[in-house]
Amino acid sequence: MAIVKPFQCVRPNKEEASLVAALPYDVYNRREACEITAENPKSFLNIDRPETQFSQDMDIYDDRVYDKAAAMLKDWMEDGTFELDETNAYYIYELIMEGRSQTGIVACSSIDDYVNGVIKKHENTREEKELDRIRHVDTTDAQTGPIFLAYRSVEDINRLVEEKKKTEPLYDFTADDGISHKVWKIADPETVGMIEKSFLQIPATYIADGHHRAASAVKVGLKRREETTGYTGDEEFNFFLSVLFPDDQLMILPYNRVVKDLNGLSQGAFLTELSNGFTVTSVGEEAYGPSEKGTFGMYFNKTWYCLKAKAGLMCEDPVKGLDVSILQDNLLGPILGIGDPRIDKRIDFIGGIRGLKELEKRCKEDMTVAFSMYPTSIGELFSVADAGLLMPPKSTWFEPKLRSGLFIHMLK
């Protein structure tokens, strides 16, 4: 059963919510983050990336950087930018991108569910990426970036959510990127109890996006357990901020690949090698994205091709049967020599939100061949996680991205 509880939220005032709401901290490099915060001093990126408040020669892991984040959060709570809700509540969070809506429940999930496998994962984390967020959470006493969780859709929860969406929202704004955001608060005890009880009937939730943030929040919670005299299990550090979405509302975009060279092969030899495992069909100059599993687009020498995996390459294994695995195991690895895509500098990954023209652009600039992917499905993600397995790197790209700063969970 999944423990998903309401919480006492710190959130921006209605007038400034659209200014505060920011994309996740890790979608920007340092230069980009500094540009954003210079343009918008109310962007939550100022707190999420506190090195932006210092000169470029400041070490981003200096204690003073994390202390600055804590001080700014305190200042914004005192000057009215943020306000503390008086009661525990759930929040309904709807995002609309290009007319497609997805609606989740903002709540706190249990770190014990993470440790015990009720919250299921599909990728490994790297300690060096966790350390920054561990220090940020620990120093600010706050979780500021919600973890994107998914669950198998439940009609009772869907009905309650849709009923609440008929009322006046707390927030209703469209961000600069065209994504619309709406938020409603659920605080009446009867509905709160129904939602909490409904989640207790769900056997598992799944991390869709935010594995490193989740791992960091859990490690802070476990650390504080050891440090707390009279620990009860009800302390706020035993839970982490999350937004839970039903699976039937989620769309995963493809995560495309570009490769720098042909691994020493001539153009003719490369195409001949491809034909051993794939049916190769030229489709001309118009950008091609595959419309079914087991097919791939390829942009090479100013021409688009359709690559269809031959029957022998298809597999029922939840990991080896993924399109990203089929491409890696039968083309990128053995033909182009991409041994470990996590560290190989000859390959790069392009999120589906960038479009197919970005693949053509990269091939004109610094790459030789590009591959457009058929997106991994949420069902495939669930299957991998249920089997206790891991997806290959860069298997999923979720859009739209959850905004940081709209909901803050204080640890004490």
Side-chain angles (χ1 to χ4, degrees):
M1 62 182 186
I3 298 172
V4 178
K5 79 178 194 76
F7 69 109
Q8 196 172 1
C9 185
V10 170
R11 56 184 179 84
N13 67 65
K14 188 170 185 177
E15 291 70 29
E16 295 183 293
S18 62
L19 294 173
V20 171
L23 286 167
Y25 74 97
D26 53 358
V27 306
Y28 300 107
N29 60 35
R30 186 171 188 173
R31 176 187 58 78
E32 292 168 336
C34 287
E35 290 174 355
I36 295 292
T37 55
E39 293 172 3
N40 178 10
K42 281 295 185 181
S43 169
F44 195 75
L45 200 59
N46 287 277
I47 294 173
D48 247 356
R49 295 287 295 270
E51 74 272 16
T52 59
Q53 311 304 302
F54 297 88
S55 62
Q56 289 291 317
D57 59 355
M58 170 64 81
D59 181 358
I60 63 174
Y61 304 117
D62 190 288
D63 288 346
R64 289 169 291 179
V65 172
Y66 299 97
D67 290 340
K68 183 65 174 178
M72 290 186 70
L73 179 57
K74 181 175 182 291
D75 289 345
W76 287 16
M77 292 176 68
E78 291 177 350
D79 70 16
T81 302
F82 286 115
E83 53 193 40
L84 175 64
D85 275 344
E86 295 180 356
T87 58
N88 285 340
Y90 291 111
Y91 299 83
I92 307 302
Y93 183 16
E94 180 184 40
L95 302 94
I96 302 173
M97 183 179 76
E98 298 178 349
R100 187 184 65 84
S101 168
Q102 64 183 48
T103 305
I105 294 179
V106 185
C108 282
S109 296
S110 165
I111 68 172
D112 287 315
D113 281 357
Y114 181 97
V115 172
N116 297 331
V118 173
I119 298 173
K120 298 192 176 186
K121 305 169 279 290
H122 66 266
E123 68 177 48
N124 277 328
T125 58
R126 298 205 308 269
E127 185 178 12
E128 64 269 20
K129 289 190 68 174
E130 295 176 16
L131 291 177
D132 167 60
R133 286 302 101 176
I134 288 172
R135 293 181 67 189
H136 193 279
V137 171
D138 210 18
T139 304
T140 61
D141 274 323
Q143 293 161 354
T144 60
I147 312 306
F148 188 152
L149 299 181
Y151 62 95
R152 290 184 172 87
S153 186
V154 177
E155 184 56 37
D156 287 346
I157 298 177
N158 295 342
R159 185 172 59 253
L160 290 171
V161 167
E162 290 306 311
E163 194 64 30
K164 187 63 180 180
K165 286 171 61 176
K166 295 175 183 177
T167 65
E168 185 74 17
L170 285 175
Y171 307 134
D172 184 355
F173 63 89
T174 299
D176 291 342
D177 58 3
I179 309 299
S180 296
H181 302 263
K182 294 183 181 181
V183 173
W184 294 262
K185 179 181 177 180
I186 296 180
D188 66 281
E190 182 179 358
T191 307
V192 165
M194 292 171 66
I195 292 174
E196 192 163 13
K197 183 178 179 181
S198 293
F199 274 109
L200 286 172
Q201 308 307 311
I202 295 175
T205 61
Y206 300 79
I207 298 178
D209 198 11
H211 282 79
H212 285 91
R213 278 173 282 138
S216 300
V218 170
K219 288 184 177 180
V220 170
L222 295 176
K223 170 177 172 286
R224 293 201 173 191
R225 284 183 178 181
E226 296 178 355
E227 298 170 346
T228 300
T229 302
Y231 162 73
T232 68
D234 294 327
E235 298 88 353
E236 289 301 320
F237 57 71
N238 292 289
F239 305 90
F240 63 85
L241 183 65
S242 53
V243 186
L244 299 101
F245 290 89
D247 63 331
D248 54 9
Q249 292 193 27
L250 297 179
M251 180 178 72
I252 302 178
L253 296 182
Y255 219 144
N256 300 316
R257 277 89 165 116
V258 288
V259 179
K260 193 170 188 62
D261 57 60
L262 298 183
N263 195 32
L265 295 172
S266 67
Q267 295 183 14
F270 171 59
L271 292 174
T272 298
E273 289 279 355
L274 286 184
S275 66
N276 292 328
F278 301 85
T279 300
V280 182
T281 306
S282 173
V283 295
E285 296 183 0
E286 185 174 350
Y288 173 76
S291 58
E292 62 179 343
K293 184 173 171 56
T295 60
F296 309 84
M298 182 178 75
Y299 184 68
F300 173 60
N301 197 22
K302 300 181 180 180
T303 300
W304 281 93
Y305 296 84
C306 169
L307 309 182
K308 186 172 180 60
K310 294 182 179 179
L313 302 189
M314 304 304 288
C315 177
E316 295 298 322
D317 181 273
V319 174
K320 293 181 179 180
L322 296 171
D323 276 11
V324 290
S325 296
I326 293 171
L327 188 73
Q328 174 62 39
D329 295 343
N330 299 282
L331 197 164
L332 298 180
I335 298 177
L336 293 181
I338 304 296
D340 185 348
R342 289 181 177 85
I343 60 175
D344 199 311
K345 302 299 184 184
R346 295 171 51 238
I347 189 170
D348 200 2
F349 303 88
I350 311 294
I353 193 68
R354 303 292 294 273
L356 298 178
K357 290 299 181 182
E358 181 68 16
L359 303 184
E360 296 180 358
K361 178 173 176 286
R362 289 296 301 274
C363 285
K364 292 174 183 176
E365 293 176 347
D366 61 340
M367 296 291 179
T368 297
V369 60
F371 301 93
S372 59
M373 308 293 295
Y374 186 69
T376 303
S377 71
I378 192 69
E380 288 176 317
L381 185 154
F382 284 179
S383 294
V384 171
D386 284 339
L389 300 174
L390 302 174
M391 282 189 171
K394 312 297 185 183
S395 293
T396 58
W397 182 281
F398 283 91
E399 285 285 347
K401 302 293 185 187
L402 306 182
R403 272 10 185 213
S404 295
L406 286 178
F407 316 97
I408 297 175
H409 172 228
M410 305 302 296
L411 299 190
K412 64 180 181 181

